[in-house]
Amino acid sequence: MSNSAIILISERDSTVRNRSQHNQQKQPDSSCNEKGLQSHNHKLELSAGMLRERSVVILLLGFMCLVRILVLISVQQLSSSSTGHFDTLRARKHLERITSVGPRTIGSPENEITTVNYLLDQIEQIRSESETGPHSITVDVQRPTGSFSINGFISYYDRVTNIAVKLQPKTSAQHFMLANCHFDSVANSPGASDDAVSCSVMLEVLHSLANLSTPLKHGVIFLFNGAEENNLQASHGFITQHPWAQQVRAFVNLEAAGVGGKELVFQTGPENPWLVQAYARAAVHPFASVVGQEIFQSGLIPSDTDFRIYRDFGNIPGIDLAFIENGYIYHTKYDTPERIPTDSIQRAGDNILSVLKHLVMSDELADSSQYRHGNMVFFDLLGMMVVVYTARVGTIINCTVAIATVICLCKKCVLYKCNLVYAVCVVIFSWLVTLVTVLIVALIVTLTGRSMFWYTHFYAAVCLYGSAAAGTIVLIHTLTKDIFYRSASRVYLAELFFDVSLLLWCFLLLILTMCGFCSAYVPMMMVVFPLISKLLLRKHFRARGCFRCLVSSSLAQDGVKGASLQYSVLYLTGLAVPYVHIMFLIWVVFEVFTPIQGRSGTGIPPDVVLALIVTLATVILSTYFLHVIYLSRSTKHILAGLGSVFTVMFVLVCCGLFFPYSADPSSPRPKRIFVQHTTRRFHALNGSLQSSDSGLCISSVDYTDMQHITPHIPQINDSIRWDCQDHLPYCGSSRKSWYLPAPEVSPEAPLEFRLLSRQETEWGTVKMTFEVKGPSLMSLRMRPQAGASLSSWSFGDKTPQFNLSGGYFISYSRGLDAPAWSFWFEIQPPKSSDASPDEGLISLAVSAHYFSGSDRHSEQLESLLKRFPAWVFPSSWISTYHMYRY
């Protein structure tokens, strides 16, 4: 072979080798492109049938705004036209006249003389006008004396005032409805809403019924009671002592926990479902909720009404109604007639008149025992109508819904396998983390001294705590989607978490039903409507092949429809009914509990309470929104938006931008405090004065204490806290008070306390009898020494009841011209080994409170009151404290 041939062959081999090496170098690039294409196709498969993030945000925000608007329209829709039977203008004149005398505390001339005379004059006018009609009116002024146990202490009353008016056909009646209101008020408040407006409404209802041309089938007793504010005393005197009480078969109680707005039926019964049915049929403007009843009767709301007295001591059923809006000015100087809209009076009058007229013409009132048993589920739909059915029917409905839900979910469990359990754990975990996160935020706000920033700026709390709660939920589900469900389709996850929400609501439905709660209708609605709407939308949200393809992520091959904008709108439309009702209940909770934090004491931080409520509301509203969240292609902007809102609000709150209180006349949010000019005297065992002091005692009613007041009155600080010794039965005020030294008080009617007799009984006890003279409101606390115990006394059922505070407490009130208060008790001495001769057997502390007349003022007290800023509402009075040992 020639050299040239060898060279050609070598060049060819070199070329082949170079091409081979070149092809080998290109091979990795081809593999990368193939993998990238597969990854891209996989992402397309996972995101098939999904919504743009912007669409999700617009849909959810628009839906929530629409729901909120519907609730606000319902709440603010008062009566705009009269039915022609109830005269609102006349009722308003009654209201203005009753409140014109100012505060009407028990035992004051304003309450016992002026108001009583006005009510009697108006009743006499009504009687004269209707004298020729088919009805007769009988008036009886009762002044009962008695005592009873309530909330762990004894309530004692002497000659308090009741005005009872019996309206009946001239042919007489055997069965009566009772309509109750109270005309007394707390100190320092004109009490327009609580409860002068109710008495004004009752006067006009009496006028309307008395002038009917057709005689009533049964009678009505209108009770205007003058002693409700001090432990529900006058109603107890009527129902346990008045001869007419035996003819009462049911009652309607008119109360207030706010100023104006709609009057809410917040409790009924016990049992007697016919009462709720009567309200549902007769009420012109219904507004009722069994949820409110179960919340109120749980004790979460620190309040009581005469309903409890008639229920517990009269054993009669009834309906309890109350104004609940604007509780910020409840029991303050701002509770004036002009703050109660005329339309509120009109709707209350229309409802009470219609319901009473219906009840006194019904057959059930004559033999209510026949219709006694059973509870009712009741709730109104945007104030348009009341849905009412028996608890037994409710149980059947709830169980049917639960069974149907379980059947629907069982069909999918085979496909879901363990994923359903994992998803339930994810949802519950997200709730727990959300709760902890928001509580941490609330505690930080509290520790930085910004507690109650939302009291005047409520939506600031929604923005801070709501954004924290919503952001935490969305973040956890975003991480779950990106980490644990990376290979699952988003449509599959949306379907999975919808079924998880359905399952959890179904579980709550079963729990509440088994526990006998009528409020179980709420989770029932949250199961029925979403389930039905989802079943109706199956054609808009499913794979053309089979559901299993969602699990295998073969969406692109099987042609999944997924979620369109039309589907999302229809899905949210299916949630409208339960969400409107849930939003209404959330509004009621906030409307009641937010103002309560301004008078709930200094124990639990109110920001923790409000944060819990906001978190609960967010969790409830988010349950079925998870379905839409998982259909979103991304949540980056949602998280960024929520995070930005939270960050901005947190900075603004911590910087002190939101001041808790306001003196704005159009919408005041006052800080409540108690101020009393008091003198304390401590007596030795031999009766001699051992020590005494006097000063101005200031007590905060909310959590912020004196934090915002001390810049205006620097003397108020922790160095002069009230000195209270644990072994004393009572110190004259709450233990967390501030004490400014001041001269002694000298009331015109000073307290007189005397030991009338002391004798040893044949069974080894010591019986002591005492007499007390003083103002119309007093309290007695007793603490036996170590080893001694009370065996009997003259109060209540004669059996002493030990108070949780470590002693015995008796609250006393009286009307005018009441005799001296006398009482006795028997005490069992301690064993000789436990006896301490220096301590005696028992310590007694008597506090006298001067809420009316010239004795309620002092120069030093008035001088201090002028120094408080305008946004403070100080409830002030004079008091004395005497401690004795025997």
Side-chain angles (χ1 to χ4, degrees), residues 85-87 90 94 122-123 125-127 129-130 135 137 167 200-212 222 224 353:
H85 303 292
F86 182 86
D87 191 332
R90 192 157 45 210
H94 293 320
Q122 296 304 308
I123 294 168
Q125 288 183 25
I126 296 172
R127 191 193 65 79
E129 289 180 22
S130 61
H135 301 104
I137 294 178
L167 174 69
S200 304
V201 167
M202 273 179 44
L203 277 175
E204 183 52 30
V205 169
L206 171 61
H207 181 275
S208 299
L209 291 178
N211 286 281
L212 289 176
F222 293 86
F224 302 85
L353 178 59

Side-chain angles (χ1 to χ4, degrees), residues 322-341:
F323 296 100
I324 63 170
E325 291 188 34
N326 201 8
Y328 300 97
I329 58 178
Y330 168 75
H331 280 188
T332 70
K333 65 181 180 181
Y334 300 105
D335 185 8
T336 55
E338 57 269 17
R339 296 187 184 275
I340 301 177

Side-chain angles (χ1 to χ4, degrees), residues 175-456:
H175 311 284
F176 287 82
M177 277 294 300
L178 173 68
N180 177 80
C181 72
H182 68 91
F183 56 85
D184 65 313
S185 72
V186 296
N188 303 285
S189 173
S193 182
D194 186 26
D195 193 30
V197 66
S198 297
C199 292
S200 304
V201 167
M202 273 179 44
L203 277 175
E204 183 52 30
V205 169
L206 171 61
H207 181 275
S208 299
L209 291 178
N211 286 281
L212 289 176
S213 58
T214 304
L216 300 173
K217 188 174 183 178
H218 307 293
V220 184
I221 296 174
F222 293 86
L223 180 65
F224 302 85
N225 86 65
E228 189 270 351
E229 294 295 354
N230 194 34
N231 307 313
L232 321 174
Q233 294 170 330
S235 57
H236 181 270
F238 173 82
I239 205 63
T240 59
Q241 301 177 39
H242 201 287
W244 294 352
Q246 302 301 318
Q247 297 177 292
V248 174
R249 303 292 176 258
F251 68 91
V252 174
N253 183 51
L254 311 182
E255 257 296 349
V259 180
K262 295 182 176 183
E263 79 290 347
L264 171 69
V265 174
F266 64 96
Q267 59 179 337
T268 64
E271 296 190 286
N272 290 272
W274 60 277
L275 280 172
V276 180
Q277 292 170 335
Y279 176 84
R281 295 191 194 104
V284 182
H285 317 285
F287 189 44
S289 174
V290 72
V291 177
Q293 171 175 296
E294 294 183 341
I295 290 176
F296 187 85
Q297 294 180 352
S298 69
L300 291 174
I301 299 177
S303 182
D304 249 329
T305 72
D306 288 322
F307 181 98
R308 176 178 179 179
I309 299 298
Y310 299 130
R311 178 195 65 195
D312 295 350
F313 294 94
N315 196 29
I316 55 176
I319 301 175
D320 212 359
L321 303 98
F323 296 100
I324 63 170
E325 291 188 34
N326 201 8
Y328 300 97
I329 58 178
Y330 168 75
H331 280 188
T332 70
K333 65 181 180 181
Y334 300 105
D335 185 8
T336 55
E338 57 269 17
R339 296 187 184 275
I340 301 177
T342 300
D343 287 345
S344 291
I345 302 174
Q346 181 70 60
R347 66 166 285 124
D350 289 342
N351 282 340
I352 301 304
L353 178 59
S354 299
V355 171
L356 280 179
K357 189 186 299 183
H358 177 88
L359 287 169
V360 295
M361 299 299 288
S362 67
D363 296 327
E364 291 90 343
L365 190 65
D367 189 14
S368 59
S369 60
Q370 181 180 346
Y371 310 94
R372 176 177 180 82
H373 298 292
N375 291 313
M376 298 297 293
V377 178
F378 60 92
F379 56 93
D380 74 281
L381 296 177
L382 295 179
M384 296 182 292
M385 61 176 293
V386 177
V387 178
V388 179
Y389 53 88
T390 64
R392 181 176 298 179
V393 171
T395 300
I396 296 173
I397 294 174
N398 296 344
C399 292
T400 303
V401 169
I403 292 171
T405 304
V406 171
I407 292 174
C408 290
L409 292 178
C410 283
K411 294 180 180 179
K412 296 182 179 180
C413 284
V414 178
L415 300 176
Y416 284 140
K417 297 181 180 179
C418 295
N419 283 334
L420 185 64
V421 178
Y422 295 154
V424 169
C425 294
V426 168
V427 171
I428 295 176
F429 175 75
S430 70
W431 292 350
L432 294 176
V433 173
T434 299
L435 179 61
V436 172
T437 301
V438 178
L439 287 181
I440 289 174
V441 173
L443 289 174
I444 292 174
V445 169
T446 302
L447 292 175
T448 55
R450 305 304 178 189
S451 184
M452 296 185 66
F453 68 91
W454 36 263
Y455 197 64
T456 297

Side-chain angles (χ1 to χ4, degrees), residues 71 223 230 242 247 294 321 454 519 557 681 720 737 762 779 830 867:
V71 171
L223 180 65
N230 194 34
H242 201 287
Q247 297 177 292
E294 294 183 341
L321 303 98
W454 36 263
S519 301
Q557 298 175 6
R681 292 184 173 91
I720 51 173
S737 300
E762 57 185 10
S779 63
R867 299 177 64 186

